[in-house]
């Protein structure tokens, strides 16, 4: 294994952790990591030596994820029209028992909020770094973070009754 | 005189412990009078812990074959821009040809990982470590737990290096710990600690130096240590010696 691969390889477990939490699915997560690694290796010469390799890889992953999410939304839309039964698989309308499960609660946090929540809460990026990874202003990071955290708190049902009512619009 | 109102953004910054201390104290006072808000803040903090509890296990999973890097020949052709790194690996590898034992080659390979980890994290300004020296007891307990054996963190204040903190890294045989130190001028050293496959083995200090990074590495029964820094061999040896003495009083 050559050394440049080694540097990137060190980051794979973290990329997998973030991707797993982001997608909520093991094989979708590893697909995302694989796409990220391929793109990163083909663009390695663009990485500024001495800058944060991890942040650079996460930026690449985020861009791929966003692009795939767009095409996923398109396909999902088509699939729903073609096959109403497919919604049961994707619609994810878990009952309250399941909602207490962190992973499924996370899946119900809007994607853009979930990304911030995970970068800051799981991956310990600073707000500034998260802003650069997601290529959004820091104020947007802050507002997505606070909305995402509140959303997740309600979904987990941290303090039952009152907040549960808010979910049922 | 009156305290400015606490914003939602500040509550979140408080959760992430990034508010200036004076403002954090005001937020604390604000929360002390508002149990609902305090509970909300507590639940945000718990979220981060829960996320790590749920997903940290991914770090320990073996990386699937399809995510491993391509074979070197292809890599060499494709990534000429990283010549410096290839030279580093090659030079250390070449040194290793001097040795014949497979075990010694293996020892050199992990020292190289230590050097790479040093290069990766020591330039970090905002995130040099995962857990800072202010939480040293927690840091040591956490890393000991993850490596599955009690660790000790040497104190190098006598040589002018203070502990910055540490982090957990993936090694080729499981989790590895990295402690970081820096001197008054911001020069950083890292101590890479791994669990040895052969717990009965001890070695003398070995040294390698490439691209300005010096590494002393040695095996000490259960644990292997590699001390890396961009300093002279003799200076680094003094530090390695102090580390060894503290770990073997």
């Amino acid at each position: 294994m050559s050394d440049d691969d080694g540097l990137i390889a060190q980051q794979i477990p973290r990329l997998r952790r973030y991707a797993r939490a982001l997608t909520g699915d093991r094989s979708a997560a590893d697909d995302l990591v694989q796409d990220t690694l391929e793109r990163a290796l083909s663009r390695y010469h663009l990485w500024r030596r001495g800058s944060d390799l991890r942040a650079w890889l996460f930026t690449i992953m985020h861009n791929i994820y966003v692009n795939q999410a767009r095409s996923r939304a398109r396909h999902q839309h088509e699939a729903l029209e073609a096959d109403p039964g497919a919604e049961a698989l994707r619609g994810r309308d878990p009952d309250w028992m399941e909602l207490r499960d962190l992973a499924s609660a996370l899946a119900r946090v809007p994607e853009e909020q979930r990304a911030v929540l995970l970068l800051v809460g799981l991956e310990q990026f600073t707000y500034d770094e998260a802003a650069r990874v997601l290529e959004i202003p820091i104020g947007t990071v802050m507002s997505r973070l606070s909305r995402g955290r509140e959303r997740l708190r309600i979904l987990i049902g941290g303090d039952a009754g009152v907040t549960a009512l808010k979910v049922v619009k | 005189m009156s305290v400015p109102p606490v914003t939602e953004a500040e509550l979140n910054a408080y959760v992430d412990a990034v508010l200036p201390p004076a403002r954090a104290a005001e937020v604390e006072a604000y929360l002390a009078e508002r149990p609902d808000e305090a509970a909300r803040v507590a639940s945000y903090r718990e979220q981060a812990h829960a996320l790590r509890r749920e997903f940290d296990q991914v770090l320990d999973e073996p990386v699937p074959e399809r995510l491993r890097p391509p074979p070197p020949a292809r890599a060499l052709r494709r990534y000429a821009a990283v010549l410096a790194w290839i030279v580093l690996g090659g030079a250390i590898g070449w040194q290793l040809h001097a040795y014949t034992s497979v075990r010694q080659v293996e020892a050199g390979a992990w020292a190289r990982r230590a050097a790479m980890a040093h290069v990766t994290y020591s330039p970090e300004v905002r995130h040099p470590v995962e857990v800072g020296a202010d939480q040293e007891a927690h840091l040591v307990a956490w890393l000991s737990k993850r490596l599955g054996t009690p660790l000790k963190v040497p104190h190098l204040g006598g040589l002018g290096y203070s502990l910055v903190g540490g982090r957990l890294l993936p090694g080729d045989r499981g989790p590895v710990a990295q402690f970081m130190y820096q001197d008054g001028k911001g020069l950083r050293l890292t101590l890479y600690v791994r669990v040895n496959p052969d717990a009965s083995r001890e070695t003398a200090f070995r040294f390698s130096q490439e691209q300005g990074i010096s590494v002393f590495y040695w095996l000490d029964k259960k644990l292997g240590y590699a001390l890396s820094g961009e300093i002279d061999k003799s200076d680094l040896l003094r530090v390695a010696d102090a580390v060894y003495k503290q770990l073997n009083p």
Side-chain angles (χ1 to χ4, degrees), chain A residues 1-7 9-14 16-17 20-21 26-27 30-31 33-34 37-38 41-42 44-45 47 49-54 101-103 106 117-118 120-129 132 142 145-146 148-150 152-153 156 159, chain B residues 8-10 12-16 18 39-40 43-44 47-48 50-52 54-56 58-59 61-64 66-72 75-76 78-79 81-82 84-90 112-113 116-117 120-121 123-124 126-127 130 167-170 192:
Chain A
M1 185 165 71
S2 68
D3 294 308
D4 51 320
D5 293 337
L7 274 181
Q10 284 185 346
Q11 301 294 333
I12 293 175
R14 282 154 186 260
R16 292 185 77 217
R17 173 174 66 178
R20 183 82 56 89
R26 189 193 177 101
S27 77
D30 282 344
D31 286 348
V33 174
Q34 188 172 10
L37 292 173
E38 279 169 12
L41 289 172
S42 72
Y44 198 69
H45 60 286
W47 175 53
R49 186 152 305 285
S51 69
D52 187 348
L53 178 65
R54 182 173 169 232
D101 174 42
L102 180 68
L106 203 53
L117 202 64
L118 293 173
V120 174
L122 182 62
E123 298 298 333
Q124 316 264 289
F125 278 84
T126 62
Y127 300 157
D128 207 36
E129 287 166 336
R132 271 181 282 138
M142 296 302 301
L145 180 64
S146 70
R149 276 180 169 155
E150 185 58 10
L152 187 60
R153 183 179 74 92
I156 295 172
D159 49 0
Chain B
E8 204 52 36
E10 283 179 317
N12 278 281
Y14 178 77
V15 168
D16 295 311
V18 293
R40 192 155 65 90
S43 109
Y44 291 172
Q47 275 178 19
L51 286 171
R52 297 198 80 145
E54 177 96 11
F55 295 105
D56 270 359
V58 179
L59 297 180
E61 288 177 9
V63 173
R66 66 179 171 128
L67 299 183
R68 300 218 184 115
L76 286 178
R78 278 175 69 188
Y79 321 125
V82 292
W85 281 105
I86 292 162
V87 169
L88 169 64
R112 193 173 64 177
R113 289 182 77 101
M116 283 188 218
T120 304
Y121 294 106
E124 273 288 317
R126 310 210 35 174
H127 266 322
E130 281 177 308
R167 63 167 68 237
L168 187 71
L169 294 172
Y192 185 91

Side-chain angles (χ1 to χ4, degrees), chain B residues 6 8 11 30-31 34-43:
Chain B
V6 174
E8 204 52 36
L11 279 185
Y30 167 90
L31 292 173
R34 293 168 183 78
D36 282 3
E37 292 289 86
R40 192 155 65 90
V41 163
S43 109

Side-chain angles (χ1 to χ4, degrees), chain B residues 99 202-208 215-219 225 227 236-245 248:
Chain B
Y99 299 120
E202 289 178 66
T203 66
F205 287 162
R206 294 210 173 93
F207 178 74
S208 70
V215 186
F216 272 107
Y217 56 99
W218 66 97
L219 303 183
Y225 300 89
L227 182 70
L236 190 67
L237 178 59
R238 266 213 317 277
V239 182
D241 206 44
V243 170
Y244 181 82
K245 284 188 178 131
N248 297 277

Side-chain angles (χ1 to χ4, degrees), chain A residues 21 95 97-98 105:
Chain A
D95 61 25
M97 284 306 288
E98 254 184 292

Side-chain angles (χ1 to χ4, degrees), chain B:
Chain B
M1 224 172 337
S2 72
V3 175
V6 174
T7 66
E8 204 52 36
E10 283 179 317
L11 279 185
N12 278 281
Y14 178 77
V15 168
D16 295 311
V18 293
L19 278 184
R23 186 58 177 159
E26 287 171 3
V27 172
E28 221 154 89
Y30 167 90
L31 292 173
E33 291 169 9
R34 293 168 183 78
D36 282 3
E37 292 289 86
R40 192 155 65 90
V41 163
S43 109
Y44 291 172
R45 284 223 164 108
E46 173 52 28
Q47 275 178 19
H49 295 307
L51 286 171
R52 297 198 80 145
R53 273 200 305 275
E54 177 96 11
F55 295 105
D56 270 359
Q57 50 178 325
V58 179
L59 297 180
D60 295 333
E61 288 177 9
V63 173
E65 191 61 45
R66 66 179 171 128
L67 299 183
R68 300 218 184 115
R74 189 176 142 219
L76 286 178
R77 270 202 313 278
R78 278 175 69 188
Y79 321 125
V82 292
L83 195 61
W85 281 105
I86 292 162
V87 169
L88 169 64
I92 294 177
W94 186 82
Q95 278 195 335
L96 290 171
H97 281 295
Y99 299 120
T100 48
S101 143
V102 171
R103 273 176 154 182
Q104 281 170 330
V105 170
E106 190 240 25
W110 78 267
R112 193 173 64 177
R113 289 182 77 101
M116 283 188 218
H118 176 85
V119 173
T120 304
Y121 294 106
S122 63
E124 273 288 317
V125 178
R126 310 210 35 174
H127 266 322
V129 295
E130 281 177 308
V131 177
D134 54 329
Q135 300 178 64
E136 186 183 321
H138 165 67
L139 171 69
V140 174
W142 169 54
L143 292 174
S144 297
K145 183 167 163 239
R146 294 304 304 270
L147 267 69
T149 186
L151 301 182
K152 277 194 284 188
V153 55
H155 291 108
L156 304 172
L159 293 165
Y161 290 94
S162 56
L163 183 68
V164 179
R167 63 167 68 237
L168 187 71
L169 294 172
D172 49 357
R173 284 202 185 76
V176 169
Q178 184 192 52
F179 296 109
M180 191 179 294
Y181 298 86
Q182 73 180 12
D183 72 1
K185 289 173 298 195
L187 180 75
R188 286 171 170 172
L189 303 179
T190 57
L191 180 65
Y192 185 91
V193 187
R194 67 152 200 181
V195 176
N196 287 330
D198 175 357
S200 64
R201 222 163 108 73
E202 289 178 66
T203 66
F205 287 162
R206 294 210 173 93
F207 178 74
S208 70
Q209 180 178 45
E210 294 306 324
Q211 299 285 304
I213 300 156
S214 308
V215 186
F216 272 107
Y217 56 99
W218 66 97
L219 303 183
D220 188 2
K221 303 206 180 78
K222 262 187 157 169
L223 296 168
Y225 300 89
L227 182 70
S228 311
E230 288 166 74
I231 59 175
D232 284 351
K233 181 177 178 178
S234 57
D235 292 338
L236 190 67
L237 178 59
R238 266 213 317 277
V239 182
D241 206 44
V243 170
Y244 181 82
K245 284 188 178 131
Q246 280 196 34
L247 296 169
N248 297 277

